[in-house]
Amino acid sequence: MPSKLKDNLNSQYFEAANRLKSKQARRRIVAYVESYDDIYFWRTVLSRFEDDTRYFEVMLPSHEKLGRGKKSVLMNFVDKRIGPDMIACVDADYDYMLQCATEQSRRVLEEPYVFHTYAYAIENLQCFAPSLHDVCVAVTLNDHRLFDFEEYLRQYSEAVFPLFVWSVWAYRKGKHNQFSMTEFARVIDPGGFNVFDPAPSLVHLRRKVSTRIRQLQQQYPQAKEEYLQTKESIKSLGVTAQTTYLYIQGHHLFDTVVIPILNKVCNRLRQEREEEIYRTAQHHMQRRNEMSCYEHSLQDIRQMLKKNTGYVLSEQYRRIQQDLEAYLTTTRTSPRT
């Protein structure tokens, strides 16, 4: 297909192509995503909606151009390319928190053929707290519950929630240059901690958050009422003090908070398993064979976390599913009705 034609494909093109197929053929719906990493996530989301009448093809905005990211995906809306047979699937980022305060937020939240994660990004969902123990088991083949991920991320979320409200307020008011997301991420960096005693790290985190909040209160003394309104608005979107981790910058949560914990927990779980092999092996040859077998069974932490699908139990995933169900209800269930 000529590149110019490829670059001008739109929902009407795929709708017409679907109509040309036999009545038994399935309807093809193209789902544009932001990056390579998003393809697998949205494939897992969309798969359950495929049947003998339709299927989805998840792809990047262009096979010819290297443009990536949300802006590139949403340009398909500007160009009037998105429609019933061509949808956009993006990270919510802060657009969900901004609630149409910007043009991009309006597109993400109001356009019927744009779907978003509700959580800040797919990385947040991959770090869904109730699923992290399973990731450790997949990596180490050791089912010992060494660390309470749910409790830690609950306390972490409660510690950063008051500053998160300030961050959303700043972006809604156009004051993100005075309190940027980069600075917010720096403040809520938990730093090093002991797997067996994470409390000191949380105490240090709360101290940093309190310090920055006092500075913001002094800088914006008239913003108290707006802060409280923002807090209630955020809660109405489904954000709670206990789940803030799902709405902060995804890369920060993935790389700075969760991966360091997983590294320490998995290292300890591997050590436990190796010690068990050394303790129970009856002779040197058996010990060597068992160790070799175990080492070959270990998985990479980062890759296992990226492939983690435990988020299917999350409220955010349920809401994505609801949006897709509503979209499919209002569009044709067959390419030839």
Side-chain angles (χ1 to χ4, degrees), residues 277-312:
I277 292 172
Y278 270 89
R279 186 176 63 255
T280 59
Q282 296 182 359
H283 48 75
H284 174 73
M285 183 63 72
Q286 184 184 46
R287 181 184 303 117
R288 189 177 69 177
N289 290 340
E290 285 292 323
M291 283 297 297
S292 177
C293 180
Y294 179 62
E295 289 171 358
H296 281 90
S297 300
L298 296 175
Q299 301 294 323
D300 179 77
I301 294 173
R302 181 175 292 273
Q303 290 306 311
M304 290 304 297
L305 189 57
K306 283 184 174 293
K307 294 297 188 291
N308 179 28
T309 59
Y311 51 75
V312 297

PDB file of all heavy atoms in Angstrom, residues 277-312:
ATOM      1  N   ILE A 277      18.508 -25.831  49.208  1.00  0.00           N
ATOM      2  CA  ILE A 277      19.136 -26.830  48.334  1.00  0.00           C
ATOM      3  C   ILE A 277      20.427 -27.347  48.963  1.00  0.00           C
ATOM      4  O   ILE A 277      20.679 -28.558  49.014  1.00  0.00           O
ATOM      5  CB  ILE A 277      19.404 -26.240  46.936  1.00  0.00           C
ATOM      6  CG1 ILE A 277      18.069 -25.967  46.216  1.00  0.00           C
ATOM      7  CG2 ILE A 277      20.275 -27.186  46.108  1.00  0.00           C
ATOM      8  CD1 ILE A 277      18.212 -25.210  44.922  1.00  0.00           C
ATOM      9  N   TYR A 278      21.251 -26.445  49.483  1.00  0.00           N
ATOM     10  CA  TYR A 278      22.515 -26.841  50.109  1.00  0.00           C
ATOM     11  C   TYR A 278      22.264 -27.682  51.357  1.00  0.00           C
ATOM     12  O   TYR A 278      23.007 -28.620  51.653  1.00  0.00           O
ATOM     13  CB  TYR A 278      23.334 -25.598  50.471  1.00  0.00           C
ATOM     14  CG  TYR A 278      24.258 -25.150  49.373  1.00  0.00           C
ATOM     15  CD1 TYR A 278      23.813 -24.253  48.401  1.00  0.00           C
ATOM     16  CD2 TYR A 278      25.556 -25.625  49.288  1.00  0.00           C
ATOM     17  CE1 TYR A 278      24.650 -23.836  47.377  1.00  0.00           C
ATOM     18  CE2 TYR A 278      26.415 -25.220  48.275  1.00  0.00           C
ATOM     19  CZ  TYR A 278      25.957 -24.325  47.315  1.00  0.00           C
ATOM     20  OH  TYR A 278      26.793 -23.925  46.294  1.00  0.00           O
ATOM     21  N   ARG A 279      21.205 -27.338  52.082  1.00  0.00           N
ATOM     22  CA  ARG A 279      20.917 -28.033  53.337  1.00  0.00           C
ATOM     23  C   ARG A 279      20.356 -29.425  53.105  1.00  0.00           C
ATOM     24  O   ARG A 279      20.625 -30.365  53.881  1.00  0.00           O
ATOM     25  CB  ARG A 279      19.939 -27.196  54.165  1.00  0.00           C
ATOM     26  CG  ARG A 279      19.668 -27.755  55.566  1.00  0.00           C
ATOM     27  CD  ARG A 279      18.765 -26.847  56.378  1.00  0.00           C
ATOM     28  NE  ARG A 279      17.439 -26.691  55.789  1.00  0.00           N
ATOM     29  CZ  ARG A 279      17.016 -25.612  55.151  1.00  0.00           C
ATOM     30  NH1 ARG A 279      17.828 -24.570  55.008  1.00  0.00           N
ATOM     31  NH2 ARG A 279      15.785 -25.559  54.656  1.00  0.00           N
ATOM     32  N   THR A 280      19.557 -29.606  52.055  1.00  0.00           N
ATOM     33  CA  THR A 280      18.850 -30.881  51.866  1.00  0.00           C
ATOM     34  C   THR A 280      19.502 -31.821  50.862  1.00  0.00           C
ATOM     35  O   THR A 280      19.153 -33.014  50.819  1.00  0.00           O
ATOM     36  CB  THR A 280      17.399 -30.611  51.414  1.00  0.00           C
ATOM     37  OG1 THR A 280      17.429 -29.860  50.181  1.00  0.00           O
ATOM     38  CG2 THR A 280      16.650 -29.810  52.468  1.00  0.00           C
ATOM     39  N   ALA A 281      20.441 -31.308  50.069  1.00  0.00           N
ATOM     40  CA  ALA A 281      21.090 -32.188  49.083  1.00  0.00           C
ATOM     41  C   ALA A 281      21.883 -33.280  49.802  1.00  0.00           C
ATOM     42  O   ALA A 281      22.589 -33.027  50.780  1.00  0.00           O
ATOM     43  CB  ALA A 281      22.010 -31.374  48.178  1.00  0.00           C
ATOM     44  N   GLN A 282      21.796 -34.505  49.312  1.00  0.00           N
ATOM     45  CA  GLN A 282      22.447 -35.630  49.968  1.00  0.00           C
ATOM     46  C   GLN A 282      23.909 -35.781  49.572  1.00  0.00           C
ATOM     47  O   GLN A 282      24.688 -36.400  50.298  1.00  0.00           O
ATOM     48  CB  GLN A 282      21.686 -36.922  49.650  1.00  0.00           C
ATOM     49  CG  GLN A 282      20.260 -36.921  50.201  1.00  0.00           C
ATOM     50  CD  GLN A 282      19.534 -38.220  49.924  1.00  0.00           C
ATOM     51  OE1 GLN A 282      20.076 -39.133  49.310  1.00  0.00           O
ATOM     52  NE2 GLN A 282      18.297 -38.320  50.400  1.00  0.00           N
ATOM     53  N   HIS A 283      24.285 -35.230  48.435  1.00  0.00           N
ATOM     54  CA  HIS A 283      25.689 -35.298  48.027  1.00  0.00           C
ATOM     55  C   HIS A 283      25.980 -34.171  47.038  1.00  0.00           C
ATOM     56  O   HIS A 283      25.074 -33.457  46.581  1.00  0.00           O
ATOM     57  CB  HIS A 283      26.012 -36.664  47.396  1.00  0.00           C
ATOM     58  CG  HIS A 283      25.028 -37.092  46.353  1.00  0.00           C
ATOM     59  ND1 HIS A 283      24.986 -36.554  45.085  1.00  0.00           N
ATOM     60  CD2 HIS A 283      24.020 -38.025  46.415  1.00  0.00           C
ATOM     61  CE1 HIS A 283      24.022 -37.119  44.397  1.00  0.00           C
ATOM     62  NE2 HIS A 283      23.415 -38.022  45.174  1.00  0.00           N
ATOM     63  N   HIS A 284      27.264 -34.013  46.737  1.00  0.00           N
ATOM     64  CA  HIS A 284      27.722 -32.893  45.910  1.00  0.00           C
ATOM     65  C   HIS A 284      27.056 -32.878  44.528  1.00  0.00           C
ATOM     66  O   HIS A 284      26.643 -31.811  44.041  1.00  0.00           O
ATOM     67  CB  HIS A 284      29.250 -32.954  45.750  1.00  0.00           C
ATOM     68  CG  HIS A 284      29.777 -31.931  44.804  1.00  0.00           C
ATOM     69  ND1 HIS A 284      29.843 -30.582  45.124  1.00  0.00           N
ATOM     70  CD2 HIS A 284      30.266 -32.046  43.519  1.00  0.00           C
ATOM     71  CE1 HIS A 284      30.337 -29.927  44.092  1.00  0.00           C
ATOM     72  NE2 HIS A 284      30.612 -30.777  43.114  1.00  0.00           N
ATOM     73  N   MET A 285      26.954 -34.025  43.896  1.00  0.00           N
ATOM     74  CA  MET A 285      26.380 -34.083  42.552  1.00  0.00           C
ATOM     75  C   MET A 285      24.913 -33.639  42.552  1.00  0.00           C
ATOM     76  O   MET A 285      24.484 -32.880  41.683  1.00  0.00           O
ATOM     77  CB  MET A 285      26.489 -35.494  41.986  1.00  0.00           C
ATOM     78  CG  MET A 285      25.979 -35.634  40.550  1.00  0.00           C
ATOM     79  SD  MET A 285      26.937 -34.635  39.395  1.00  0.00           S
ATOM     80  CE  MET A 285      28.477 -35.596  39.376  1.00  0.00           C
ATOM     81  N   GLN A 286      24.161 -34.099  43.543  1.00  0.00           N
ATOM     82  CA  GLN A 286      22.760 -33.695  43.625  1.00  0.00           C
ATOM     83  C   GLN A 286      22.637 -32.191  43.872  1.00  0.00           C
ATOM     84  O   GLN A 286      21.797 -31.519  43.282  1.00  0.00           O
ATOM     85  CB  GLN A 286      22.056 -34.458  44.750  1.00  0.00           C
ATOM     86  CG  GLN A 286      20.564 -34.162  44.827  1.00  0.00           C
ATOM     87  CD  GLN A 286      19.895 -34.842  45.997  1.00  0.00           C
ATOM     88  OE1 GLN A 286      20.403 -34.814  47.114  1.00  0.00           O
ATOM     89  NE2 GLN A 286      18.748 -35.458  45.743  1.00  0.00           N
ATOM     90  N   ARG A 287      23.522 -31.678  44.745  1.00  0.00           N
ATOM     91  CA  ARG A 287      23.499 -30.248  45.036  1.00  0.00           C
ATOM     92  C   ARG A 287      23.789 -29.444  43.778  1.00  0.00           C
ATOM     93  O   ARG A 287      23.095 -28.454  43.481  1.00  0.00           O
ATOM     94  CB  ARG A 287      24.524 -29.918  46.113  1.00  0.00           C
ATOM     95  CG  ARG A 287      24.553 -28.439  46.513  1.00  0.00           C
ATOM     96  CD  ARG A 287      25.661 -28.145  47.524  1.00  0.00           C
ATOM     97  NE  ARG A 287      25.513 -28.982  48.707  1.00  0.00           N
ATOM     98  CZ  ARG A 287      26.415 -29.881  49.090  1.00  0.00           C
ATOM     99  NH1 ARG A 287      27.535 -30.069  48.374  1.00  0.00           N
ATOM    100  NH2 ARG A 287      26.218 -30.595  50.176  1.00  0.00           N
ATOM    101  N   ARG A 288      24.777 -29.860  43.014  1.00  0.00           N
ATOM    102  CA  ARG A 288      25.134 -29.137  41.798  1.00  0.00           C
ATOM    103  C   ARG A 288      24.010 -29.190  40.761  1.00  0.00           C
ATOM    104  O   ARG A 288      23.683 -28.188  40.128  1.00  0.00           O
ATOM    105  CB  ARG A 288      26.414 -29.718  41.197  1.00  0.00           C
ATOM    106  CG  ARG A 288      26.974 -28.886  40.043  1.00  0.00           C
ATOM    107  CD  ARG A 288      28.273 -29.463  39.539  1.00  0.00           C
ATOM    108  NE  ARG A 288      28.054 -30.760  38.866  1.00  0.00           N
ATOM    109  CZ  ARG A 288      29.032 -31.443  38.275  1.00  0.00           C
ATOM    110  NH1 ARG A 288      30.275 -30.985  38.293  1.00  0.00           N
ATOM    111  NH2 ARG A 288      28.767 -32.605  37.688  1.00  0.00           N
ATOM    112  N   ASN A 289      23.376 -30.346  40.616  1.00  0.00           N
ATOM    113  CA  ASN A 289      22.280 -30.487  39.653  1.00  0.00           C
ATOM    114  C   ASN A 289      21.067 -29.656  40.057  1.00  0.00           C
ATOM    115  O   ASN A 289      20.427 -29.012  39.214  1.00  0.00           O
ATOM    116  CB  ASN A 289      21.880 -31.958  39.512  1.00  0.00           C
ATOM    117  CG  ASN A 289      22.942 -32.772  38.808  1.00  0.00           C
ATOM    118  OD1 ASN A 289      23.793 -32.232  38.101  1.00  0.00           O
ATOM    119  ND2 ASN A 289      22.905 -34.084  38.999  1.00  0.00           N
ATOM    120  N   GLU A 290      20.755 -29.690  41.346  1.00  0.00           N
ATOM    121  CA  GLU A 290      19.613 -28.919  41.829  1.00  0.00           C
ATOM    122  C   GLU A 290      19.853 -27.418  41.666  1.00  0.00           C
ATOM    123  O   GLU A 290      18.955 -26.670  41.258  1.00  0.00           O
ATOM    124  CB  GLU A 290      19.339 -29.240  43.298  1.00  0.00           C
ATOM    125  CG  GLU A 290      18.679 -30.575  43.538  1.00  0.00           C
ATOM    126  CD  GLU A 290      17.248 -30.607  43.021  1.00  0.00           C
ATOM    127  OE1 GLU A 290      16.537 -29.584  43.136  1.00  0.00           O
ATOM    128  OE2 GLU A 290      16.849 -31.643  42.463  1.00  0.00           O
ATOM    129  N   MET A 291      21.069 -26.964  41.978  1.00  0.00           N
ATOM    130  CA  MET A 291      21.395 -25.549  41.833  1.00  0.00           C
ATOM    131  C   MET A 291      21.335 -25.122  40.375  1.00  0.00           C
ATOM    132  O   MET A 291      20.819 -24.049  40.045  1.00  0.00           O
ATOM    133  CB  MET A 291      22.789 -25.267  42.406  1.00  0.00           C
ATOM    134  CG  MET A 291      22.832 -25.208  43.916  1.00  0.00           C
ATOM    135  SD  MET A 291      21.835 -23.842  44.598  1.00  0.00           S
ATOM    136  CE  MET A 291      22.717 -22.445  43.896  1.00  0.00           C
ATOM    137  N   SER A 292      21.832 -25.962  39.494  1.00  0.00           N
ATOM    138  CA  SER A 292      21.806 -25.641  38.071  1.00  0.00           C
ATOM    139  C   SER A 292      20.368 -25.550  37.561  1.00  0.00           C
ATOM    140  O   SER A 292      20.014 -24.628  36.810  1.00  0.00           O
ATOM    141  CB  SER A 292      22.568 -26.710  37.282  1.00  0.00           C
ATOM    142  OG  SER A 292      22.498 -26.461  35.892  1.00  0.00           O
ATOM    143  N   CYS A 293      19.547 -26.501  37.987  1.00  0.00           N
ATOM    144  CA  CYS A 293      18.138 -26.497  37.585  1.00  0.00           C
ATOM    145  C   CYS A 293      17.427 -25.254  38.100  1.00  0.00           C
ATOM    146  O   CYS A 293      16.668 -24.605  37.366  1.00  0.00           O
ATOM    147  CB  CYS A 293      17.454 -27.754  38.105  1.00  0.00           C
ATOM    148  SG  CYS A 293      15.699 -27.871  37.677  1.00  0.00           S
ATOM    149  N   TYR A 294      17.691 -24.898  39.356  1.00  0.00           N
ATOM    150  CA  TYR A 294      17.045 -23.731  39.951  1.00  0.00           C
ATOM    151  C   TYR A 294      17.484 -22.447  39.264  1.00  0.00           C
ATOM    152  O   TYR A 294      16.657 -21.589  38.927  1.00  0.00           O
ATOM    153  CB  TYR A 294      17.353 -23.661  41.453  1.00  0.00           C
ATOM    154  CG  TYR A 294      16.743 -22.465  42.139  1.00  0.00           C
ATOM    155  CD1 TYR A 294      15.357 -22.293  42.168  1.00  0.00           C
ATOM    156  CD2 TYR A 294      17.542 -21.497  42.732  1.00  0.00           C
ATOM    157  CE1 TYR A 294      14.778 -21.197  42.782  1.00  0.00           C
ATOM    158  CE2 TYR A 294      16.973 -20.391  43.353  1.00  0.00           C
ATOM    159  CZ  TYR A 294      15.591 -20.242  43.369  1.00  0.00           C
ATOM    160  OH  TYR A 294      15.028 -19.141  43.970  1.00  0.00           O
ATOM    161  N   GLU A 295      18.779 -22.300  39.030  1.00  0.00           N
ATOM    162  CA  GLU A 295      19.299 -21.088  38.399  1.00  0.00           C
ATOM    163  C   GLU A 295      18.733 -20.893  36.992  1.00  0.00           C
ATOM    164  O   GLU A 295      18.476 -19.767  36.561  1.00  0.00           O
ATOM    165  CB  GLU A 295      20.823 -21.127  38.363  1.00  0.00           C
ATOM    166  CG  GLU A 295      21.456 -20.949  39.738  1.00  0.00           C
ATOM    167  CD  GLU A 295      22.954 -21.212  39.721  1.00  0.00           C
ATOM    168  OE1 GLU A 295      23.472 -21.578  38.641  1.00  0.00           O
ATOM    169  OE2 GLU A 295      23.588 -21.056  40.779  1.00  0.00           O
ATOM    170  N   HIS A 296      18.529 -21.982  36.281  1.00  0.00           N
ATOM    171  CA  HIS A 296      17.962 -21.888  34.933  1.00  0.00           C
ATOM    172  C   HIS A 296      16.467 -21.575  34.960  1.00  0.00           C
ATOM    173  O   HIS A 296      15.899 -21.183  33.936  1.00  0.00           O
ATOM    174  CB  HIS A 296      18.199 -23.184  34.156  1.00  0.00           C
ATOM    175  CG  HIS A 296      19.591 -23.302  33.605  1.00  0.00           C
ATOM    176  ND1 HIS A 296      20.614 -23.889  34.310  1.00  0.00           N
ATOM    177  CD2 HIS A 296      20.133 -22.869  32.432  1.00  0.00           C
ATOM    178  CE1 HIS A 296      21.724 -23.842  33.587  1.00  0.00           C
ATOM    179  NE2 HIS A 296      21.458 -23.220  32.446  1.00  0.00           N
ATOM    180  N   SER A 297      15.844 -21.747  36.124  1.00  0.00           N
ATOM    181  CA  SER A 297      14.403 -21.482  36.248  1.00  0.00           C
ATOM    182  C   SER A 297      14.103 -20.054  36.681  1.00  0.00           C
ATOM    183  O   SER A 297      12.955 -19.607  36.614  1.00  0.00           O
ATOM    184  CB  SER A 297      13.771 -22.449  37.255  1.00  0.00           C
ATOM    185  OG  SER A 297      13.939 -23.787  36.842  1.00  0.00           O
ATOM    186  N   LEU A 298      15.131 -19.333  37.136  1.00  0.00           N
ATOM    187  CA  LEU A 298      14.927 -17.960  37.604  1.00  0.00           C
ATOM    188  C   LEU A 298      14.560 -17.038  36.452  1.00  0.00           C
ATOM    189  O   LEU A 298      15.000 -17.233  35.311  1.00  0.00           O
ATOM    190  CB  LEU A 298      16.194 -17.454  38.303  1.00  0.00           C
ATOM    191  CG  LEU A 298      16.599 -18.199  39.579  1.00  0.00           C
ATOM    192  CD1 LEU A 298      17.936 -17.682  40.091  1.00  0.00           C
ATOM    193  CD2 LEU A 298      15.526 -18.050  40.647  1.00  0.00           C
ATOM    194  N   GLN A 299      13.747 -16.001  36.746  1.00  0.00           N
ATOM    195  CA  GLN A 299      13.293 -15.059  35.736  1.00  0.00           C
ATOM    196  C   GLN A 299      13.795 -13.654  36.049  1.00  0.00           C
ATOM    197  O   GLN A 299      14.130 -13.337  37.188  1.00  0.00           O
ATOM    198  CB  GLN A 299      11.759 -15.067  35.666  1.00  0.00           C
ATOM    199  CG  GLN A 299      11.155 -16.420  35.335  1.00  0.00           C
ATOM    200  CD  GLN A 299      11.504 -16.879  33.935  1.00  0.00           C
ATOM    201  OE1 GLN A 299      11.573 -16.071  33.003  1.00  0.00           O
ATOM    202  NE2 GLN A 299      11.722 -18.173  33.769  1.00  0.00           N
ATOM    203  N   ASP A 300      13.808 -12.811  35.027  1.00  0.00           N
ATOM    204  CA  ASP A 300      14.223 -11.416  35.196  1.00  0.00           C
ATOM    205  C   ASP A 300      13.099 -10.618  35.857  1.00  0.00           C
ATOM    206  O   ASP A 300      11.943 -10.671  35.416  1.00  0.00           O
ATOM    207  CB  ASP A 300      14.568 -10.808  33.830  1.00  0.00           C
ATOM    208  CG  ASP A 300      14.983  -9.364  33.945  1.00  0.00           C
ATOM    209  OD1 ASP A 300      16.121  -9.107  34.351  1.00  0.00           O
ATOM    210  OD2 ASP A 300      14.149  -8.479  33.625  1.00  0.00           O
ATOM    211  N   ILE A 301      13.432  -9.876  36.889  1.00  0.00           N
ATOM    212  CA  ILE A 301      12.420  -9.156  37.660  1.00  0.00           C
ATOM    213  C   ILE A 301      11.689  -8.125  36.810  1.00  0.00           C
ATOM    214  O   ILE A 301      10.451  -8.077  36.782  1.00  0.00           O
ATOM    215  CB  ILE A 301      13.069  -8.469  38.881  1.00  0.00           C
ATOM    216  CG1 ILE A 301      13.602  -9.520  39.861  1.00  0.00           C
ATOM    217  CG2 ILE A 301      12.069  -7.552  39.575  1.00  0.00           C
ATOM    218  CD1 ILE A 301      14.398  -8.934  41.009  1.00  0.00           C
ATOM    219  N   ARG A 302      12.431  -7.299  36.104  1.00  0.00           N
ATOM    220  CA  ARG A 302      11.817  -6.229  35.317  1.00  0.00           C
ATOM    221  C   ARG A 302      10.880  -6.794  34.244  1.00  0.00           C
ATOM    222  O   ARG A 302       9.769  -6.287  34.047  1.00  0.00           O
ATOM    223  CB  ARG A 302      12.901  -5.358  34.690  1.00  0.00           C
ATOM    224  CG  ARG A 302      12.383  -4.186  33.862  1.00  0.00           C
ATOM    225  CD  ARG A 302      13.529  -3.309  33.396  1.00  0.00           C
ATOM    226  NE  ARG A 302      14.142  -2.641  34.526  1.00  0.00           N
ATOM    227  CZ  ARG A 302      13.716  -1.474  35.012  1.00  0.00           C
ATOM    228  NH1 ARG A 302      12.682  -0.858  34.438  1.00  0.00           N
ATOM    229  NH2 ARG A 302      14.313  -0.914  36.031  1.00  0.00           N
ATOM    230  N   GLN A 303      11.328  -7.831  33.565  1.00  0.00           N
ATOM    231  CA  GLN A 303      10.502  -8.409  32.506  1.00  0.00           C
ATOM    232  C   GLN A 303       9.244  -9.074  33.069  1.00  0.00           C
ATOM    233  O   GLN A 303       8.166  -8.986  32.477  1.00  0.00           O
ATOM    234  CB  GLN A 303      11.320  -9.415  31.694  1.00  0.00           C
ATOM    235  CG  GLN A 303      12.399  -8.771  30.839  1.00  0.00           C
ATOM    236  CD  GLN A 303      11.838  -7.693  29.921  1.00  0.00           C
ATOM    237  OE1 GLN A 303      10.851  -7.910  29.233  1.00  0.00           O
ATOM    238  NE2 GLN A 303      12.477  -6.528  29.912  1.00  0.00           N
ATOM    239  N   MET A 304       9.368  -9.728  34.213  1.00  0.00           N
ATOM    240  CA  MET A 304       8.198 -10.346  34.821  1.00  0.00           C
ATOM    241  C   MET A 304       7.198  -9.291  35.281  1.00  0.00           C
ATOM    242  O   MET A 304       5.984  -9.480  35.173  1.00  0.00           O
ATOM    243  CB  MET A 304       8.607 -11.224  36.004  1.00  0.00           C
ATOM    244  CG  MET A 304       9.350 -12.488  35.609  1.00  0.00           C
ATOM    245  SD  MET A 304       8.436 -13.535  34.432  1.00  0.00           S
ATOM    246  CE  MET A 304       7.020 -13.974  35.409  1.00  0.00           C
ATOM    247  N   LEU A 305       7.703  -8.160  35.784  1.00  0.00           N
ATOM    248  CA  LEU A 305       6.806  -7.097  36.220  1.00  0.00           C
ATOM    249  C   LEU A 305       6.092  -6.479  35.018  1.00  0.00           C
ATOM    250  O   LEU A 305       4.899  -6.161  35.083  1.00  0.00           O
ATOM    251  CB  LEU A 305       7.587  -6.027  36.984  1.00  0.00           C
ATOM    252  CG  LEU A 305       6.746  -4.955  37.697  1.00  0.00           C
ATOM    253  CD1 LEU A 305       5.759  -5.590  38.675  1.00  0.00           C
ATOM    254  CD2 LEU A 305       7.651  -3.959  38.428  1.00  0.00           C
ATOM    255  N   LYS A 306       6.807  -6.325  33.906  1.00  0.00           N
ATOM    256  CA  LYS A 306       6.190  -5.783  32.696  1.00  0.00           C
ATOM    257  C   LYS A 306       5.111  -6.709  32.139  1.00  0.00           C
ATOM    258  O   LYS A 306       4.179  -6.261  31.470  1.00  0.00           O
ATOM    259  CB  LYS A 306       7.259  -5.516  31.628  1.00  0.00           C
ATOM    260  CG  LYS A 306       8.079  -4.245  31.854  1.00  0.00           C
ATOM    261  CD  LYS A 306       9.036  -3.999  30.725  1.00  0.00           C
ATOM    262  CE  LYS A 306       9.747  -2.659  30.888  1.00  0.00           C
ATOM    263  NZ  LYS A 306       8.807  -1.512  30.753  1.00  0.00           N
ATOM    264  N   LYS A 307       5.255  -8.004  32.389  1.00  0.00           N
ATOM    265  CA  LYS A 307       4.274  -8.970  31.895  1.00  0.00           C
ATOM    266  C   LYS A 307       3.217  -9.306  32.950  1.00  0.00           C
ATOM    267  O   LYS A 307       2.351 -10.140  32.728  1.00  0.00           O
ATOM    268  CB  LYS A 307       4.981 -10.262  31.451  1.00  0.00           C
ATOM    269  CG  LYS A 307       5.900 -10.084  30.245  1.00  0.00           C
ATOM    270  CD  LYS A 307       5.127  -9.648  29.010  1.00  0.00           C
ATOM    271  CE  LYS A 307       5.973  -9.638  27.751  1.00  0.00           C
ATOM    272  NZ  LYS A 307       6.989  -8.573  27.753  1.00  0.00           N
ATOM    273  N   ASN A 308       3.283  -8.640  34.093  1.00  0.00           N
ATOM    274  CA  ASN A 308       2.344  -8.902  35.175  1.00  0.00           C
ATOM    275  C   ASN A 308       0.928  -8.483  34.771  1.00  0.00           C
ATOM    276  O   ASN A 308       0.715  -7.354  34.333  1.00  0.00           O
ATOM    277  CB  ASN A 308       2.776  -8.134  36.426  1.00  0.00           C
ATOM    278  CG  ASN A 308       1.827  -8.335  37.595  1.00  0.00           C
ATOM    279  OD1 ASN A 308       1.173  -9.364  37.700  1.00  0.00           O
ATOM    280  ND2 ASN A 308       1.760  -7.349  38.472  1.00  0.00           N
ATOM    281  N   THR A 309      -0.021  -9.377  34.899  1.00  0.00           N
ATOM    282  CA  THR A 309      -1.413  -9.066  34.543  1.00  0.00           C
ATOM    283  C   THR A 309      -2.344  -9.140  35.757  1.00  0.00           C
ATOM    284  O   THR A 309      -3.565  -9.247  35.612  1.00  0.00           O
ATOM    285  CB  THR A 309      -1.927 -10.020  33.451  1.00  0.00           C
ATOM    286  OG1 THR A 309      -1.835 -11.371  33.918  1.00  0.00           O
ATOM    287  CG2 THR A 309      -1.134  -9.862  32.165  1.00  0.00           C
ATOM    288  N   GLY A 310      -1.757  -9.043  36.924  1.00  0.00           N
ATOM    289  CA  GLY A 310      -2.578  -9.084  38.136  1.00  0.00           C
ATOM    290  C   GLY A 310      -3.539  -7.921  38.252  1.00  0.00           C
ATOM    291  O   GLY A 310      -4.488  -7.966  39.049  1.00  0.00           O
ATOM    292  N   TYR A 311      -3.329  -6.887  37.451  1.00  0.00           N
ATOM    293  CA  TYR A 311      -4.201  -5.708  37.481  1.00  0.00           C
ATOM    294  C   TYR A 311      -5.634  -6.024  37.044  1.00  0.00           C
ATOM    295  O   TYR A 311      -6.538  -5.185  37.205  1.00  0.00           O
ATOM    296  CB  TYR A 311      -3.646  -4.615  36.575  1.00  0.00           C
ATOM    297  CG  TYR A 311      -3.305  -5.077  35.179  1.00  0.00           C
ATOM    298  CD1 TYR A 311      -4.288  -5.341  34.232  1.00  0.00           C
ATOM    299  CD2 TYR A 311      -1.976  -5.269  34.807  1.00  0.00           C
ATOM    300  CE1 TYR A 311      -3.977  -5.784  32.969  1.00  0.00           C
ATOM    301  CE2 TYR A 311      -1.645  -5.712  33.533  1.00  0.00           C
ATOM    302  CZ  TYR A 311      -2.648  -5.963  32.617  1.00  0.00           C
ATOM    303  OH  TYR A 311      -2.344  -6.403  31.357  1.00  0.00           O
ATOM    304  N   VAL A 312      -5.858  -7.213  36.494  1.00  0.00           N
ATOM    305  CA  VAL A 312      -7.230  -7.554  36.066  1.00  0.00           C
ATOM    306  C   VAL A 312      -8.194  -7.568  37.258  1.00  0.00           C
ATOM    307  O   VAL A 312      -9.413  -7.525  37.063  1.00  0.00           O
ATOM    308  CB  VAL A 312      -7.269  -8.904  35.325  1.00  0.00           C
ATOM    309  CG1 VAL A 312      -6.444  -8.848  34.052  1.00  0.00           C
ATOM    310  CG2 VAL A 312      -6.812 -10.050  36.230  1.00  0.00           C
TER     311      VAL A 312
END
